[in-house]
Amino acid sequence: TLFRSLRTTPLLPALTRKYSPSHITWVTDAESVPLLLNNPFVNRLRAFNLENSLSLLGEKFDILFSLDKEEGPSALATKIKANQKFGFGRNELGNLIVFNEASAYAYQLGVDDELKFIQNQKSYQEIIHEMAELPFDRAEYVFCLPEEEEAKAKRFFKQHKVSRTRPLIGLNTGAGTKFETKQWPAENFLELISLLDRKFKPHIFLLGGHREKKMNLWLERRSKIRVFNTGHDNSLLEFAGFISLLDLIVSSDTLAMHLAIALKKKVVALFGPTSPAEVDLYGRGTKLFAAASCAPCYKQICQDGECMSAITPGTVLKAIEAQLQCP
């Protein structure tokens, strides 16, 4: 998952403090590689594929951290030679196991719905620090966006004569690829656009990718006020470049939300099927959670989508107003 790779980066400062000097090899899915290319803590970056996996199997490490429960990465972590291992692996039957006792809580979150959905109040960052047996100091994401990746967004601003005297608000309209249940209704976005115009007269930007092309075109056509459609063909870092120029982002629990957190933007985050407890906005945002009787459920498909539709445009407007008033 793209955002999982990004929100794991707060582990790096504590890791390098404890193990100094160190040489860090980071293995992630190919899509996430651009998010880590310029990370000052990562000495060697590898995409998770067959060739790199075979290469890593020929090496030996002092310490290995395996923070992903997915079958492929945890199986690779089991086979890689290392003097000490933390996190998740696989046994001879292919079942998930933990390498160290401190990872037992994270393991339990995956099998105990009561613990994950209701009882847990630890953020993802706190959980992975616990797994790695590192002190938790609420470190921020480590994400370095090259200046050239903002160039497309800056040209867009210039072309459309965007004035920075107004609030610049981004609406990330998608729900990601895994959980369709994170989708906030298009009609709610349309109503929010109208409410925002009456209240703040902001510049409003529609954010998304190929999956959001149809919705964003619909919003652009149906809106009675001008909105800026940033397009659906931006690269991952160009997408981040647009977010970097905005003041506030409205998003469900998706990559756009995590990019906004990483770029230290104000965020109004909409939660339904996933738990807001695991996300840290670092004091720069508001988490909205309607707490439907069935939520959070972590279901990928739902018939009614009550948990998301119950978050009203008026509620989102109030959260935006509160954030814009914060210094």
Side-chain angles (χ1 to χ4, degrees):
T1 303
L2 287 170
F3 63 75
R4 186 178 300 164
S5 181
L6 188 60
R7 67 176 182 162
T8 304
T9 57
L11 196 69
L12 288 166
L15 191 154
T16 53
R17 282 194 299 270
K18 182 173 180 179
Y19 303 104
S20 180
S22 60
H23 184 280
I24 296 175
T25 296
W26 186 297
V27 183
T28 189
D29 61 281
E31 287 183 299
S32 296
V33 166
L35 299 176
L36 294 151
L37 277 174
N38 301 285
N39 195 300
F41 293 97
V42 177
N43 302 103
R44 185 174 61 161
L45 183 60
R46 292 288 182 266
F48 177 65
N49 57 36
L50 178 59
E51 182 179 355
N52 287 330
S53 296
L54 291 173
S55 176
L56 291 167
L57 289 174
E59 301 181 36
K60 183 175 181 180
F61 296 85
D62 294 308
I63 305 166
L64 180 143
F65 298 94
S66 172
L67 306 173
D68 198 321
K69 295 176 183 175
E70 296 296 326
E71 186 173 0
S74 56
L76 177 62
T78 303
K79 294 297 184 181
I80 288 177
K81 295 184 287 291
N83 294 331
Q84 192 174 12
K85 296 184 179 184
F86 299 82
F88 301 118
R90 295 275 160 175
N91 65 16
E92 292 179 354
L93 298 176
N95 298 321
L96 189 70
I97 60 169
V98 294
F99 291 132
N100 59 321
E101 188 176 344
S103 295
Y105 182 82
Y107 175 90
Q108 199 64 25
L109 284 172
V111 297
D112 187 336
D113 288 351
E114 175 76 15
L115 178 63
K116 184 172 181 65
F117 298 170
I118 300 172
Q119 296 177 11
N120 177 60
Q121 295 301 309
K122 296 179 182 180
S123 69
Y124 174 80
Q125 287 76 27
E126 186 174 358
I127 292 166
I128 61 173
H129 277 76
E130 184 177 282
M131 292 174 66
E133 299 183 28
L134 293 170
F136 177 63
D137 59 0
R138 207 183 176 198
E140 298 247 12
Y141 293 31
V142 182
F143 176 55
C144 303
L145 181 67
E147 189 174 339
E148 59 266 24
E149 299 297 347
E150 294 181 342
K152 184 176 182 179
K154 288 178 177 177
R155 288 196 301 269
F156 183 95
F157 273 44
K158 185 176 181 179
Q159 177 186 350
H160 294 281
K161 298 179 172 61
V162 174
S163 168
R164 293 180 179 273
T165 59
R166 300 188 192 184
L168 307 179
I169 298 176
L171 305 181
N172 183 66
T173 59
T177 58
K178 187 174 182 180
F179 289 94
E180 293 180 9
T181 45
K182 293 178 181 178
Q183 184 66 60
W184 204 43
E187 293 78 8
N188 285 18
F189 277 113
L190 188 63
E191 184 179 345
L192 177 62
I193 290 169
S194 179
L195 292 174
L196 284 169
D197 182 61
R198 289 202 294 268
K199 186 75 176 180
F200 302 112
K201 297 295 180 186
H203 288 310
I204 299 173
F205 298 82
L206 303 178
L207 304 169
H210 287 280
R211 290 169 58 88
E212 289 71 53
K213 178 181 179 180
K214 185 176 180 180
M215 180 188 288
N216 286 355
L217 286 173
W218 182 86
L219 289 170
E220 188 179 10
R221 291 166 182 162
R222 290 291 300 272
S223 174
K224 294 180 180 179
I225 66 162
R226 186 186 188 189
V227 295
F228 297 100
N229 188 342
T230 60
H232 64 278
D233 58 351
N234 299 302
S235 70
L236 182 57
L237 293 182
E238 287 172 343
F239 182 70
F242 274 100
I243 292 175
S244 73
L245 300 184
L246 304 180
D247 298 316
L248 181 146
I249 305 297
V250 177
S251 177
S252 59
D253 179 12
T254 65
L255 173 63
M257 180 193 73
H258 289 283
L259 283 169
I261 296 169
L263 291 164
K264 297 179 171 56
K265 298 298 174 178
K266 294 180 179 179
V267 180
V268 173
L270 316 180
F271 289 87
T274 56
S275 171
E278 292 188 21
V279 173
D280 191 345
L281 300 181
Y282 296 94
R284 295 185 297 270
T286 300
K287 293 185 278 189
L288 298 178
F289 182 56
S293 58
C294 54
C297 64
Y298 285 84
K299 291 182 179 178
Q300 297 181 15
I301 299 174
C302 177
Q303 296 301 317
D304 54 39
E306 175 190 355
C307 61
M308 292 300 290
S309 59
I311 302 173
T312 67
T315 302
V316 177
L317 179 71
K318 289 179 180 178
I320 293 171
E321 182 176 15
Q323 288 303 316
L324 291 178
Q325 289 174 349
C326 292

